[in-house]
Structure formats: C-alpha cells, structure tokens
Amino acid sequence: MSARAVSNIAAFDALAIRREFPILDQAVAGKPLVYLDNAASTQKPEAVVEAIAHYYRNDHSNVHRGAHALADRATEAFEQARMDVANFLVGGKGGVKGGVKREEVIFTRGTTEGINLVANAWGRSNLGAGDEILLTEMEHHANIVPWQMVAAATGAVIRVAPVLDSGELDLTAWTALLSERTRLVAMTQVSNTLGTVNPVAEVVKRAHAAGAVVLIDGAQAVNHFPVDVRELDADFYVFSGHKLFGPTGVGVLYGREALLDAMPPWQGGGEMIERVSFSKGTTYTGLPWKFEAGTPHIAGVIGLGAAINWLGGIDREAAARHEQALLERVDTALAAMNDITRIGVAPGRVAVASFLLAGSHPTDVGMLLDQQGIAVRTGHHCTMPLMERFGIPGTVRASFSLYNTFDEVDRFIEGLDKVRSFL
Ligand code: PMP
C-alpha cells in the first residue's frame, strides 16, 4: 500500500462525518440507532438541510420568470445546481474539454422518472415491432417496467441477460443476446440488492459496436464512487438525489445532447414551450427545459446541488476504502455463521450485504433487528425477477455508507447473533 493510501485512511474520519448528520444521533428502541438502510435512501448532512431551509427562508420564488429579485435569486441558485451536477457527472473534473453541458442535464423526480422519460420520449419514437431492448435479471423494477410498457406500445421485444450464482452479470450470455436487433441496452451500474458493480464501460463499448443506445441506471453507484459519464460513454445516465445525501423528489437524467435534441418532449405544460397557440400551433423551447414541464422541485434541486458540493469536500477514495473495510468485517462475520446464506458475493461489490437466515423469513429478522435499534431492509428490494432467479422470497439487506462505523458493524453482528438465538 502506498504512503498516500495510508495517509488517506488516517485522514478519513467517519465519526467526524457522522456528526454532520443530526438524524443519526438518536435512540431507537432505547439503543443508539444503527442505520444500515442506505441503499434505500441515505441520510442528509446539515449542509443540505441548511441549504433547503436557507432557500425557503430567503430566496423562494418561481424560477425562469425573472421579473423581480427573488425570482432572479431562485433561478440563479437552480441553474447553478445544474452546473454543479454537470461537473459531478464528469467526476468533478468540470471545465475540461468534453465535459457535460447544461443542455444535457435534465432535472427529474428521480431515477424512476428519468427512465420513464427516456422510455417514452426516446422509446416511442425509436422502437418498432421486433426491435429489442436488452435488460438484465438484476434490474430494479424502475429499469424494467417502463421498458415493458413501451414494448407493449411499440411491439419491441425485451431480452434479459442472466445473473451468475455469485451475483455477477453473465457477460458472455449478455454479449450473446446483443445483436443488430438490439436498439436499447439498459443496465444498472450497481445492483441495489447484490451490491454487484457491473462492467458498464465494457457494456457500453459492446452495445455501441452493435449500434444500440445505452442507458445506465446510476442510482446505487454515484454515492459509492465518482462517475464520469463521458469516460463511460453512456448515452443516458440516471440517478436520484435521495440516495446521494440529497433530498427526495429530485433526480437527474443525463443525456447526450444530440439524442435529447432529436427526442420529442414527454410531458407538456409551462416551462417547456416557446409559444403556445390554438391557431398557429405550439413550439417547444430548447434543452434542457424542453423536458422540464411545470414548476420544478426548486428546493430539491438546490438541496441536490448542496449535497454534491458537500460530497466534493470528501476524500472519496478514502470513503470508498472505509466502506470496503466495513464490508470486509461484515463478510467475515457472516461467513462464520453456518445458518446464513449470502445472496450476492461478487468480487469488488459495494458495501451491501444481502442474506437469508435458515428457517426464518427476512421480515422477522428485520423486525427483531429493529427492536435492537438496527435498521435494515427486508423483502424483494424492487427486484422480483432477481428473487425469482435465486428462488427466494426476499433477503435481509444491510447497506452501508461512508458515515457508518466499525462499532455499528459489530452492533449489527451482535444483533444478528441475538436474532439467531431467538429464531
Ligand atoms: N434503480 C436502482 C438500482 C435503485 O436502487 C432504485 C431505488 N431503490 C431505483 C432505480 C429507483 O429510484 P427512485 O425510487 O429514487 O426513483
């Protein structure tokens, strides 16, 4: 290990970071809260809570209608957040030639809406009978159902690439399913259920060689490591604010400008028009606003900008190493329990531990952990086809973030031990 890596480990102070998250400092069931449901939603640092409060206390107005000072301030903060997102999407290396343009950053309600936007605006105008959409067994429902709906409307066909027992994508089988009929590839960069990190750069390369457009679901990736959509060469990339230390109800669709430009609008209304007329017809405004009908979630966008700026002050390599160290500790403990079956053990996965306890239902395990102040998620995690593939009803999922500590891992393992003795 290099001297720099060692100093980074020393510099990463999860305890100092968690002090910026007031919500984590509370008791549940009479015990200090251990929050291990980060894949469902991360908590928010004070900087984000404060940015939203500041906006509502001082600057709130509708945006893009700049007839007065508050409208100007709100618009400036809103559009500044868009530039912050553009910079974030190239791994914080903004300003470099080839960076993401503001025209390519569309604010949405979240990952789900971003995918629905592409499925409707791009899908309905580019897919026809017999065209293929290539998915995987590990997709979240948000990256399945919109495609099923557009397939039903256009006659397109969905193909599904399998997942190996380890939780890795079967890249050979995926590649075999790719053909000149494949018009769209949609894939999650990181599985919310398994933690698997998919080789999306390679996937994009192969998909492009086959002439397909690629959407990457980054919902579970952006909070674990920096992403550069230009380097990935993705055509579309989506994520949610609330899994990135930002607010709920806001997310981002990145799209390659030429593709977005050629797409018809999806939702119609205010903000997205140039002129509306009954007699002369309606014309639309340019990017990015063409895809942002109606008053946007202004406070949410500003909060997302604050989250991204907060993350900009974190040593992300050190944070990732910290998360990996937490995962190693969890993995070692779980591997020593002979009544635990782990689901998803792909090499290089992010800090997600999904498992089953022999003879018990995941819901019961979750409830008994909650009674000890330990928050995990149980169930199918919006990945029912993946549950079907493994032949299980669901899993218990502990998912970690940069503010979790080794003490919390130990509390979780002790809690699980107690559950094992009950059940
Ligand atoms: N994709 C993945 C991989 C996810 O984990 C989630 C959220 N669990 C989504 C999509 C949907 O995100 P949202 O509910 O924020 O739209």
Side-chain angles (χ1 to χ4, degrees), residues 129 181 241 272 326 364 381 393:
R181 289 185 303 280
M272 52 75 74
L326 296 174
D364 297 331
H381 316 296

Side-chain angles (χ1 to χ4, degrees), residues 182-201:
T182 314
R183 299 297 311 280
L184 182 109
V185 164
M187 187 183 289
T188 195
Q189 188 168 11
V190 173
S191 160
N192 62 312
T193 303
L194 308 168
T196 308
V197 180
N198 284 320
V200 287

Side-chain angles (χ1 to χ4, degrees), residues 221-256:
V222 286
N223 62 339
H224 289 296
F225 48 79
V227 169
D228 183 334
V229 295
R230 287 281 195 243
E231 226 167 76
L232 285 182
D233 205 22
D235 299 302
F236 297 108
Y237 192 94
V238 286
F239 68 90
S240 299
H242 71 99
K243 294 180 197 284
L244 187 69
F245 314 106
T248 54
V250 68
V252 169
L253 161 66
Y254 157 80
R256 212 186 279 287

Side-chain angles (χ1 to χ4, degrees), residues 374-406:
I374 301 161
V376 297
R377 168 78 39 136
T378 62
H380 54 64
H381 316 296
C382 298
T383 53
M384 286 171 92
L386 190 63
M387 298 298 99
E388 202 177 310
R389 182 259 175 253
F390 279 100
I392 55 176
T395 74
V396 181
R397 182 188 68 187
S399 53
F400 299 81
S401 190
L402 45 77
Y403 43 59
N404 288 123
T405 64
F406 292 101

Side-chain angles (χ1 to χ4, degrees), residues 10 21 35 90 118 139 161 178 252 256 264 277 348 362 393 395:
F21 291 76
Y35 185 78
V90 288
V118 176
E139 299 312 312
L178 192 64
V252 169
R256 212 186 279 287
S277 163
T395 74

Side-chain angles (χ1 to χ4, degrees), residues 316-383:
R316 299 208 66 189
E317 270 181 43
R321 268 200 301 275
H322 171 69
E323 290 180 20
Q324 284 300 308
L326 296 174
L327 182 64
E328 244 179 77
R329 189 135 156 170
V330 176
D331 274 350
T332 307
L334 292 181
M337 298 177 179
N338 57 10
D339 49 359
I340 293 280
T341 306
R342 291 149 72 212
I343 308 292
V345 290
R349 77 192 205 276
V350 301
V352 169
S354 257
F355 62 91
L356 287 161
L357 174 59
S360 65
H361 196 278
T363 315
D364 297 331
V365 177
M367 238 164 52
L368 290 166
L369 287 170
D370 182 47
Q371 286 170 13
Q372 304 175 67
I374 301 161
V376 297
R377 168 78 39 136
T378 62
H380 54 64
H381 316 296
C382 298
T383 53

Side-chain angles (χ1 to χ4, degrees), residues 39-40 110-113 115 140 142 188 190 192 217 219-220 240 242-243:
T111 304
T112 303
E113 191 176 64
I115 298 170
H140 188 281
T188 195
V190 173
N192 62 312
D217 173 352
Q220 297 289 342
S240 299
H242 71 99
K243 294 180 197 284

